Amino acid sequence: MSGSANAGGLLGKFGPWLLVLALMAGGARAESIKDSVRFELDEWHEIEEEFGAITVHRIRVREIEAGVKSKIFRPGKSRNTTDVRVEIEYSNSSSRDVEAKLSVHWLDREGRLIDGVEAEEDFNEDERRETTTNTFSTLRYGLEVARTLDFEIRW
């Protein structure tokens, strides 16, 4: 009995502080941009979302010529694979870099994951209309059957 009375006394004494800590922790969660758009290779998708000093303008998945690394490490496979670049155009008006976690994927007609990228990026300080990029190889077939582009940017 004295244990529960003591616990009640502690809760009564520290309860308001625990509430403040819980509210602060809830407010500290990262903000994000999350959306799904029709997959269109080489086409920009307008976003125009602001988070403090960062404005994310648009996103696209662009097919590019195979780089030297792709040619060296996958010779003869260019029939089935291609290099793509995920590009996100942004502005950062602050005087410091801002780190973000990117999740960009393309899905087929049934909503099944085909390919994509998970990465950490710096949105550079004092930049106007800068583009952050991630380049990698993917199957050509996946690009042909892709119907949806899912993306999330988390701060």
Side-chain angles (χ1 to χ4, degrees), residues 29-140:
R29 73 174 200 266
E31 299 210 35
S32 68
I33 297 171
K34 186 174 184 176
D35 203 356
S36 294
V37 296
R38 194 172 101 215
F39 183 87
E40 297 174 284
L41 192 61
D42 299 321
E43 295 294 323
W44 285 106
H45 297 281
E46 298 298 321
I47 299 173
E48 294 302 331
E49 294 272 347
E50 293 183 22
F51 289 96
I54 303 287
T55 301
V56 178
H57 301 290
R58 55 192 189 158
I59 186 172
R60 76 174 167 182
V61 176
R62 184 167 70 104
E63 189 171 12
I64 61 170
E65 184 177 329
V68 174
K69 181 179 167 185
S70 292
K71 291 176 183 175
I72 291 172
F73 289 106
R74 288 183 298 284
K77 292 189 179 181
S78 62
R79 240 178 11 165
N80 301 321
T81 62
T82 187
D83 284 358
V84 294
R85 180 171 290 151
V86 174
E87 300 177 337
I88 299 173
E89 187 178 87
Y90 70 93
S91 296
N92 179 0
S93 62
S94 84
S95 58
R96 65 178 185 85
D97 290 357
V98 176
E99 288 186 11
K101 293 185 180 192
L102 310 178
S103 176
V104 181
H105 299 98
W106 40 100
L107 312 170
D108 67 11
R109 184 180 323 248
E110 286 78 34
R112 293 177 300 210
L113 176 67
I114 296 171
D115 205 350
V117 64
E118 301 272 339
E120 292 185 12
E121 286 294 323
D122 282 336
F123 287 67
N124 297 327
E125 65 183 81
D126 297 323
E127 294 291 340
R128 304 288 184 267
R129 291 282 186 177
E130 179 66 27
T131 303
T132 182
T133 64
N134 281 277
T135 304
F136 57 98
S137 293
T138 192
L139 290 174
R140 290 181 190 275

